[in-house]
Amino acid sequence: MTRIDFTELAQVFNQWAKQQITIQEAEWLAVDGKSIRSTVSDCNSSYQNFVNVVSVFSNCQGVPVAIEQFHVGRK
């Protein structure tokens, strides 16, 4: 799993989800973010950095509809 290119995976998943999942008007979506374990660097300074994955989930349909990766850091 560590060798998977998440950017490419997210792009393919998001493209697939757009084709397969129809989001209804006024449908509620949940957004959740998780930090990826072992991606924190400089944890003892104000310049710390980590990788975060955010997903958008349709509770009504019970499926994720989009995912994205972000590098979170302070400079």
Side-chain angles (χ1 to χ4, degrees):
M1 294 293 290
T2 58
R3 295 184 183 156
I4 292 175
D5 180 350
F6 185 83
T7 303
E8 185 176 337
L9 174 66
Q11 184 178 38
V12 170
F13 174 82
N14 291 336
Q15 183 179 28
W16 174 84
K18 282 181 186 179
Q19 295 171 351
Q20 301 298 319
I21 301 166
T22 303
I23 300 171
Q24 303 299 319
E25 186 174 333
E27 182 175 344
W28 286 59
L29 301 173
V31 178
D32 184 42
K34 302 286 185 215
S35 63
I36 304 294
R37 184 178 176 181
S38 301
T39 62
V40 176
S41 62
D42 299 321
C43 61
N44 294 321
S45 80
S46 61
Y47 296 104
Q48 62 182 298
N49 188 23
F50 62 94
V51 176
N52 192 35
V53 173
V54 176
S55 61
V56 179
F57 184 82
S58 168
N59 195 38
C60 179
Q61 298 182 54
V63 295
V65 296
I67 57 175
E68 191 64 57
Q69 172 181 304
F70 297 95
H71 291 268
V72 180
R74 293 177 23 185
K75 298 241 175 186

